[in-house]
């Protein structure tokens, strides 16, 4: 209906009003309507969850209205949802008022915080073209954009100038004439920059920052070489999170740091027959030493992240005691975080990391029994054995089995999970995700069972003779409720085990991972 | 889409002043608004600096809505478009007389605008003929400016009587006091009696003000050059009241 053709050109230089007026001629007069400066930020979390979902999160704020920012989530150039009037740039999902955007961000980010990836500073000048009666017949917009990176160090900003000719309804002819007289400024048609192009301009490559998933593996590679290479990759990935732990950006940095170190350590122990005994032991020891100083902080993070969950469990009279507990933990946490930061920048720690890397970089010496065996043989037999072990241990579990044995079973499930994750590249994707999914169901129940137990223990550990009575009351109230939840999870364990050891799944695992003669 | 006609049989009562400022505030409040200047004198068009079409197109006005689309001009303000008046509009009564279903013609062509606009404001010429009746049929609401004088009171009652006689719904009629001079006792007295007789008078009224007269000099809605003046607040509040009734 009203589809008026709009011109948008890339031009080589920012033209002044005078120059434009000269080109247009005296029949129309240019008046400046206003100038606006806007800062636009591309936001994501450190692990690129928004980017990986194929979306982009844009935050923009006009310089003259800094408390009226706006966030838009974009998927393939189209806005999915948005939120206006943001007084600050959101960091966590709950910084956005409840609504569609908050929901999407909650799913995408979890506990991760948003950081600025890059910034576009936009300077917009709007000029009106008026006739002899001062009626506006069309508008011109001169836009200067400067793109700069917030990540990395040595990126020079990228500049460009756009000229837009914005016709008004009923005055197309005039717009076409003006476009004609300004055409000599045109360098080429301007396209709006999409996220991929912006990242490229800033030399940011999210793919290069993340571990490939699954890890690329060669089925014929010798197990020792593959193990060394993979462990190195995992450690490198873990170290990516150090700066965020030191800056205390959000709790996810420490969590991911630990996840990656633990994965590395589990691999070394799951495949210990692929490394010389002495070396393997030393490597595992060093990795354990790396994780230990992070335990206290992680425990506190886990507790503090339960704030609203715990708050929801307890009735009003217990709330102030609980709140006090959280506030105290927050204070202690500061101290503990500082200590960890000091440790991470210490020479000792840096030295350990260098040692680990150098050690893993050493060429394989194929002295250990599994070292020269092709990866795929080791993979299948490890996976199948671990699966069978879970079934066997599982079949021994009854309603009355001591909790200890259930915890052991949980650890075996974890091992199987690490194996499936690590070796994923060697098998059809569909098969790995089918088996991972089945395992996850069991792991969730065992995990809940374990978490409730650990939480009770850690809560009770906080009660001393000096604990104020209403704090102690809140703790005991929580422990009672968590114990109930633990019982519920315990009652689901047997059913979940039965499903996981069913004939159908057993046959499926056997077909997928039992050793085959033709491969030998 | 709603159609709001600013109408009075009398000239010089503030119809055009109200059309210009109400259309402006409607657009500012986010409604896609089209102001149609039906008065061949083209005062609304003049205030918005929109020149009339070169071609004589009044004959085609009631044929199809595409004819109207071609005449739409953007105003200088967001969300507000205008169809400027043309001298040929002076023949509308005759043009309509020669058409079948003349009362429904205007309504029909305006229906063609409903995809694009939320509100159509009609600035009507002062008369009571075929065009007026087409307006009474097309409009969802008729907004009538009334100067609080005995003569205007009489004219207003004539309009009510006409509506009753010809079977138009009086519920369409919204009235407000225009060019009110609060220091005049007569203005006060007539407002009170008329409000009693016709309880549907809007509470907002427009004061007599040099700022409204100055629209002719500035050629813009009052808000653009007298932002902080009472007349501006009066139009804004009149719009809010009308908006609630739409
Ligand atoms: N509230 C007012 N105060 C003072 N002058 C007014 C006011 N409203 C209108 N006028 C002036 O009165 C004259 C007629 O107003 P106008 O809106 O054109 O009336 P109409 O459209 O009903 O003929 C114009 O010169 C206008 O400037
Ligand atoms: Mg008029």
């Amino acid at each position: 209906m009203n589809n008026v053709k709009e011109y948008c050109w890339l031009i080589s230089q920012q033209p002044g009003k005078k120059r434009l007026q000269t080109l247009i001629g005296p029949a129309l007069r240019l008046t400046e309507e206003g100038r606006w400066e806007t800062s636009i930020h591309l936001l994501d979390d450190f692990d690129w969850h928004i980017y990986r979902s194929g979306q982009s999160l844009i935050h923009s704020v006009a310089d003259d209205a800094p408390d009226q920012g706006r966030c838009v989530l974009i998927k393939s150039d189209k806005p999915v949802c948005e939120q206006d009037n943001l007084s600050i740039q959101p960091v966590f999902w709950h910084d956005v008022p409840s609504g569609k955007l908050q929901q999407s961000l909650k799913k995408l980010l979890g506990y991760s915080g948003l950081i600025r990836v890059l910034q576009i500073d936009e300077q917009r000048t709007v000029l009106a073209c008026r006739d002899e009666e001062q009626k506006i017949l069309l508008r011109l917009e001169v836009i200067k954009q400067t793109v700069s990176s917030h990540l990395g160090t040595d990126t020079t900003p990228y500049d460009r100038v756009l000229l837009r000719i914005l016709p008004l309804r009923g005055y197309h002819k005039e717009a076409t004439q003006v476009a004609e007289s300004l055409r000599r400024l045109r360098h080429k048609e301007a396209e709006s920059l999409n996220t991929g192009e912006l990242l490229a301009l800033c030399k940011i490559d999210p793919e290069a920052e993340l571990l490939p998933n699954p890890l690329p593996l060669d089925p014929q590679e010798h197990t020792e070489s593959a193990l060394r290479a993979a462990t190195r990759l995992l450690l490198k990935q873990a170290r990516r999170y150090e700066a965020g732990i030191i800056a205390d950006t959000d709790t996810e940095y420490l969590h991911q740091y630990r996840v990656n170190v633990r994965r590395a350590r589990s691999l070394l122990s799951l495949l210990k027959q692929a490394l010389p005994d002495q070396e393997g032991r030393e490597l595992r020891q060093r990795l354990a030493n790396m994780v230990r100083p992070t335990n206290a902080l992680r425990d506190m993070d886990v507790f503090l992240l339960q704030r609203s969950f715990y708050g929801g469990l307890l009735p009003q009279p217990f709330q102030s005691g609980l709140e006090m507990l959280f506030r105290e933990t927050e204070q202690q946490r500061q101290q503990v975080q500082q200590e960890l930061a000091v440790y991470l920048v210490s020479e000792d720690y840096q030295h350990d990391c260098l040692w680990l890397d150098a050690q893993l970089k050493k060429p394989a010496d194929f002295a250990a029994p599994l070292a020269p065996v092709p990866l795929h043989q080791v993979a299948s037999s490890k996976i199948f054995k671990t699966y069978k072990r879970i079934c066997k241990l599982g079949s021994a579990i009854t309603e009355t089995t001591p909790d200890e044995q259930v915890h052991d079973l949980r650890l075996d499930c974890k091992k199987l999970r690490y194996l499936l994750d690590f070796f994923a590249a060697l098998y059809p994707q569909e098969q790995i995700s089918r088996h991972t999914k089945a395992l996850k169901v069991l792991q969730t129940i065992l995990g809940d069972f374990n978490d409730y137990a650990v939480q009770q223990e850690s809560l009770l550990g906080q009660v001393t003779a000096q604990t104020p009575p209403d704090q102690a009351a809140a703790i005991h109230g929580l422990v009672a409720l968590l114990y109930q939840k633990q019982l519920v999870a315990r009652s689901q364990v047997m059913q979940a085990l039965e499903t996981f050891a069913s004939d159908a799944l057993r046959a499926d695992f056997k077909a997928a991972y039992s050793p085959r003669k033709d491969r030998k | 889409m709603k159609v709001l006609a600013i109408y009075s049989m009398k000239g010089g009562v503030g119809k055009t002043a109200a059309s210009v400022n109400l259309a402006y505030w409607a657009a500012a409040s986010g409604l896609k608004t089209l102001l149609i200047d039906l008065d061949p004198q083209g005062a609304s068009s003049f205030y918005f600096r929109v020149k009339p079409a070169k071609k004589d197109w009044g004959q085609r006005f009631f044929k199809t809505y595409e004819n109207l689309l071609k005449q739409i001009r953007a105003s200088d303000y967001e969300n507000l478009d205008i169809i400027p008046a043309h001298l040929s509009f002076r023949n509308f009564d005759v043009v309509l007389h020669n058409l079948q279903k003349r009362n429904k013609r205007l309504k029909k062509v305006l229906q063609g605008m409903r995809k694009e606009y939320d509100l159509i404001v009609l600035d009507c010429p002062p008369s009571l003929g075929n065009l007026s009746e087409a307006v009474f049929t097309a409009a969802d609401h008729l907004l009538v400016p009334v100067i609080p004088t005995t003569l205007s009171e009489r004219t207003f009652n004539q309009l009510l009587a006409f509506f009753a006689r010809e079977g138009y719904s009086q519920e369409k009629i919204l009235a407000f006091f225009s060019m009110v001079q609060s220091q005049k006792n007569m203005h006060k007295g007539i407002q009170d009696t008329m409000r009693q007789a016709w309880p549907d008078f809007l509470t907002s009224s427009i004061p007599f003000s040099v700022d409204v007269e100055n629209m002719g000099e500035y050629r813009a809605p009052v808000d653009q050059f007298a932002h902080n003046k009472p007349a501006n607040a009066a139009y804004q509040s009149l719009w809010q009241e009308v908006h609630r009734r739409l």
Side-chain angles (χ1 to χ4, degrees), chain A residues 81-284:
Chain A
C81 47
E82 54 195 66
Q83 180 73 50
D84 281 329
N85 286 321
L86 296 167
S87 54
I88 50 156
Q89 180 203 299
V91 175
F92 296 102
W93 62 264
H94 46 78
D95 293 336
V96 176
S98 54
K100 249 188 99 186
L101 184 65
Q102 191 197 57
Q103 284 306 309
S104 308
L105 290 181
K106 187 176 178 182
K107 259 196 226 126
L108 288 164
L109 300 176
Y111 297 125
S112 299
L114 293 165
I115 50 176
R116 290 182 179 180
V117 173
L118 55 84
Q119 171 161 352
I120 308 173
D121 292 298
E122 198 169 83
Q123 206 182 76
R124 230 155 37 93
T125 309
V126 176
L127 300 164
C129 278
R130 297 171 184 266
D131 67 9
E132 73 288 355
E133 293 185 32
Q134 303 303 312
K135 166 79 181 80
I136 302 176
L137 306 189
L138 59 132
R139 291 191 173 88
L140 304 179
E141 217 174 71
V142 180
I143 307 169
K144 183 166 177 237
Q145 294 178 329
T146 308
V147 184
S148 49
S149 167
H150 276 267
L151 310 175
T153 40
D154 61 353
T155 44
T156 33
Y158 163 84
D159 277 340
R160 62 178 203 166
V161 183
L162 309 178
L163 175 65
R164 286 174 79 195
I165 300 171
L166 306 167
L168 286 176
R169 184 163 194 179
Y171 300 100
H172 301 187
K173 216 175 68 203
E174 289 82 352
T176 315
Q177 278 164 8
V178 167
E180 232 16 84
S181 55
L182 294 178
R183 187 163 288 273
R184 70 171 62 171
L185 295 175
R186 178 182 177 280
H187 174 53
K188 59 178 188 196
E189 283 314 291
E191 318 254 315
S192 61
L193 293 167
N194 65 34
T195 305
E197 287 158 343
L198 286 168
L199 290 171
L201 281 175
C202 291
K203 305 189 186 72
I204 299 172
D205 181 5
E207 309 294 345
E209 287 183 30
L210 295 167
L211 267 192
N213 183 24
L215 282 177
L217 298 174
D218 171 1
Q220 301 305 334
E221 193 178 357
H222 302 298
T223 302
E224 180 176 353
S225 339
L227 178 60
R228 286 178 181 275
T231 311
R232 262 189 90 208
L233 273 182
L234 289 167
L235 287 182
K236 193 170 151 228
Q237 181 69 12
R239 298 206 61 194
R240 205 182 145 242
Y241 298 102
E242 284 168 5
I245 302 172
I246 294 165
D248 204 13
T249 314
D250 64 56
T251 59
E252 212 42 31
Y253 289 83
L254 179 60
H255 181 51
Q256 292 302 330
Y257 175 87
R258 289 162 54 88
V259 164
N260 282 289
V261 178
R262 264 206 316 257
R263 275 178 83 190
R265 192 161 148 245
S266 299
L267 267 184
L268 290 177
S269 95
L270 286 165
L271 300 176
K272 62 177 162 224
Q273 297 113 304
L275 283 178
D277 245 7
Q278 178 60 34
E279 188 187 356
R281 225 188 328 258
E282 172 136 30
L283 283 168
R284 293 198 299 278

Side-chain angles (χ1 to χ4, degrees), chain B residues 63-244:
Chain B
K63 291 252 163 71
T64 63
Y65 76 92
E66 282 91 348
N67 286 317
L68 297 196
L69 286 186
K70 275 185 230 153
Q71 301 300 331
I72 295 177
R73 301 282 178 271
S75 76
D76 290 0
Y77 310 101
E78 205 181 332
N79 290 332
L80 179 57
D81 290 346
I82 292 165
I83 296 184
H86 191 272
L87 204 57
S88 58
F89 289 7
R90 68 184 186 282
N91 302 321
F92 272 170
D93 278 333
V94 187
V95 171
L96 281 168
H97 184 81
N98 295 325
L99 289 172
Q100 308 261 305
K101 300 188 184 157
R102 63 180 86 97
N103 277 3
K104 297 225 169 89
R105 281 293 174 151
L106 181 62
K107 190 182 174 86
K108 184 117 188 288
V109 287
L110 294 185
Q111 277 307 307
M113 309 289 171
R114 70 177 179 273
K115 277 201 209 88
E116 283 191 73
Y117 294 99
D118 304 315
L119 178 69
I120 292 188
V121 177
L122 302 175
D123 182 13
C124 303
S127 70
L128 187 55
N130 290 327
L131 175 65
S132 306
E133 292 208 52
V135 166
F136 299 161
T137 310
D140 297 294
H141 289 286
L142 216 63
L143 183 63
V144 185
V146 177
I147 304 175
T149 60
T150 332
L151 203 62
S152 295
E153 185 180 358
R154 197 167 154 267
T155 321
F156 185 64
N157 287 330
Q158 285 171 340
L159 179 67
L160 291 178
F162 182 85
F163 262 57
R165 193 172 65 240
E166 300 297 324
Y168 295 109
S169 162
Q170 286 191 354
E171 281 179 13
K172 284 187 177 182
I173 297 179
L174 298 174
F176 70 96
F177 290 111
S178 173
M179 299 172 149
V180 175
Q181 286 168 287
S182 47
Q183 65 277 28
K184 283 195 185 167
N185 281 334
M186 180 196 73
H187 271 205
K188 234 184 126 348
I190 293 179
Q191 282 184 70
D192 290 344
T193 32
M194 284 190 75
R195 276 191 199 284
Q196 266 166 24
W198 178 258
D200 245 4
F201 260 93
L202 299 176
T203 35
S204 322
S205 59
I206 304 299
F208 188 91
S209 154
V210 66
D211 294 313
V212 182
E213 284 178 302
N214 280 343
M215 281 169 58
E217 192 185 325
Y218 288 96
R219 297 184 69 181
V222 176
D223 185 50
Q224 289 290 313
F225 59 89
H227 180 70
N228 288 322
K229 296 300 188 58
N232 191 37
Y235 279 119
Q236 202 176 353
S237 112
L238 178 61
W239 160 246
Q240 281 159 359
E241 214 181 338
V242 171
H243 195 182
R244 281 197 294 275

Side-chain angles (χ1 to χ4, degrees), chain A residues 372-438:
Chain A
V373 181
L375 204 54
H376 72 90
Q377 284 178 22
V378 175
S380 288
S381 97
K382 283 280 171 195
I383 292 174
F384 192 50
K385 266 190 201 145
T386 313
Y387 172 75
K388 279 196 301 193
R389 190 176 148 77
I390 293 170
C391 294
K392 186 157 161 251
L393 284 178
S395 69
I397 285 183
T398 66
E399 300 291 354
T400 55
T401 315
D403 289 355
E404 271 318 301
Q405 277 184 42
V406 181
H407 290 313
D408 288 347
L409 187 69
R410 186 180 65 88
L411 297 180
D412 278 304
C413 287
K414 240 182 169 166
K415 283 180 193 161
L416 180 56
R417 181 68 177 280
Y418 283 129
L419 290 169
L420 289 174
D421 281 353
F422 177 61
F423 291 120
L426 302 180
Y427 303 96
Q429 192 197 338
E430 184 275 329
Q431 169 189 317
I432 289 289
S433 61
R434 186 173 69 242
H435 294 156
T436 306
K437 216 163 125 194

